[in-house]
């Protein structure tokens, strides 16, 4: 690939020469800024996932094929990042598009500052990005955004800057594309056709999905993944020292009644001395 970085506008696209790419979401942290999560949806030619396994997100960070995966978040000089990596050349031909999405946790994208998607050649370390797109919410009420998409064009791949947001979160977006979510009724979809400004002749903009809400948190599992026995309701009795029965010990000297000691027999030769003035001789 060339060393030039394409600064993209919404709806524009750029051809990709790299067989594998790394899509990095980057934003500026802050006290009131929600956390942002990157996700990917692998879509067939009909615009829907082939199965629930085609959804790569924080609870399922790796596609079974291993060709699309979510990397750990990082703190860099410019802010925080969350990354999705895709081996485009090795993907099954049934995968027609890979959506790169962002979802916010606990607040809308109105509070997210400097959100940007940067696309890198995954095989080149430390290189400049192939393309970058500043993602801006349109209404401020979005809780999920399709930042961009990787899509087939002939025998190659292209990247399109989408920037389509939804107020229904990650769950809504996932169900829009055919993901089964055990979270009650899914939100209504919205008419969300991506802009076609700047596309090549013959390129049709993808239809954007409705947005999802954060997936329900699961209860904490037992340590190491195995059920642990319930603790006893009463503590077990103290065992004898060293594991052998010990002889009964005498009662402690303090705090307990002591055995009575018999009084000594009186001395028969003992006589009380005379006492009082009446015994004094004149």
């Amino acid at each position: 690939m060339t060393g030039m970085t394409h600064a993209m506008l919404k709806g524009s696209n750029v051809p990709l020469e790299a067989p594998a790419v790394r899509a990095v979401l980057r934003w500026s942290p802050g006290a009131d800024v929600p956390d942002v999560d990157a996700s990917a949806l692998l879509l067939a030619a009909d615009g829907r996932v082939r199965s629930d396994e085609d959804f790569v997100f924080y609870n399922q960070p790796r596609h079974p094929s291993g060709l699309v995966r979510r990397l750990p978040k990082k703190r860099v000089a410019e802010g925080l990042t969350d990354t999705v990596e895709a081996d485009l050349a090795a993907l099954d031909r049934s995968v027609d598009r890979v959506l790169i999405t962002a979802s916010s946790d606990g607040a809308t994208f109105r509070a997210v500052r400097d959100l940007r998607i940067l696309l890198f050649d995954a095989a080149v370390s430390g290189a400049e990005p192939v393309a970058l797109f500043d993602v801006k919410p349109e209404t401020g009420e979005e809780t999920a955004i399709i930042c961009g998409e990787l899509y087939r064009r002939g025998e190659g791949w292209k990247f399109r800057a989408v920037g389509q947001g939804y107020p229904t979160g990650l769950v809504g977006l996932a169900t829009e594309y055919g993901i089964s979510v055990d979270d009650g009724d899914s939100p209504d979809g919205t008419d969300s056709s991506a802009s076609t400004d700047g596309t090549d002749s013959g390129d049709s903009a993808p239809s954007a999905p409705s947005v999802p809400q954060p997936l329900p948190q699961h209860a904490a599992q037992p340590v190491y993944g195995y059920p642990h026995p319930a603790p006893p309701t009463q503590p077990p009795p103290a065992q004898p020292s060293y594991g052998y029965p010990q002889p009964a010990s005498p009662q402690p000297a303090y705090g307990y009644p002591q055995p009575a000691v018999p009084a000594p027999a009186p001395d028969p030769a003992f006589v009380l001395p005379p006492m009082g003035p009446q015994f004094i001789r004149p």
Side-chain angles (χ1 to χ4, degrees):
M1 305 189 86
T2 64
M4 182 177 65
T5 297
H6 297 270
M8 304 184 70
L9 299 175
K10 183 175 180 178
S12 64
N13 59 71
V14 61
L16 301 176
E17 299 173 15
V21 296
R22 188 167 59 251
V24 179
L25 293 181
R26 193 178 74 198
W27 67 97
S28 297
D32 299 324
V33 178
D35 194 21
V36 175
D37 291 302
S39 305
L41 285 158
L42 285 66
L43 307 182
D46 63 357
R48 296 175 67 82
V49 297
R50 299 163 302 170
S51 73
D52 287 352
E53 293 178 336
D54 284 343
F55 186 24
V56 176
F57 67 119
Y58 46 82
N59 280 347
Q60 185 172 273
R62 189 178 183 90
H63 190 265
S65 68
L67 301 176
V68 179
R69 50 203 167 269
R70 187 171 179 263
L71 303 183
K73 290 185 178 180
K74 292 183 179 180
R75 181 179 292 273
V76 297
E78 297 84 356
L80 298 176
T81 66
D82 202 7
T83 302
V84 172
E85 198 167 76
D87 294 339
L88 300 177
L91 280 175
D92 191 273
R93 291 292 302 182
S94 62
V95 178
D96 189 64
R97 288 187 285 156
V98 179
L99 301 185
I100 308 298
T101 72
S103 58
S104 59
D105 183 13
T108 67
F109 274 96
R110 186 194 305 275
V112 179
R113 303 193 301 266
D114 309 318
L115 181 62
R116 169 178 285 190
I117 182 170
L118 304 102
L119 199 68
F120 294 86
D121 183 341
V124 181
S125 178
E128 292 296 314
V130 175
L132 65 85
F133 172 48
D134 290 322
V135 184
K136 299 184 182 298
E138 295 179 330
T139 67
E141 300 305 313
E142 297 89 344
T143 49
I145 297 177
I146 301 176
C147 300
E149 68 165 358
L150 304 160
Y151 65 101
R152 292 186 187 271
R153 183 58 57 200
E155 294 301 315
W157 287 81
K158 288 186 174 183
F159 173 74
R160 188 189 333 263
V162 179
Q164 179 67 54
Y166 306 91
T168 48
L170 188 60
V171 170
L173 187 144
T175 54
E176 176 84 3
Y177 286 105
I179 296 295
S180 301
V181 178
D182 296 332
D183 192 29
D185 295 333
S186 61
D188 295 335
T190 57
D191 185 8
S192 53
S193 298
S195 170
T196 57
D197 295 342
T199 58
D200 291 344
S201 176
D203 288 355
S204 59
S207 60
S210 65
V211 212
Q213 292 134 4
L215 296 179
Q217 297 297 319
H218 299 291
Q221 297 299 317
V223 180
Y224 306 116
Y226 293 93
H228 288 196
T233 55
Q234 297 294 332
Q239 298 299 318
S241 302
Y242 308 111
Y244 293 92
Q246 302 299 310
S249 59
Q251 295 297 324
Y254 303 102
Y256 292 88
Q258 302 300 308
V261 180
D267 185 356
F270 177 76
V271 178
L272 288 173
M275 299 180 64
Q278 68 271 28
F279 296 103
I280 299 174
R281 294 184 181 187

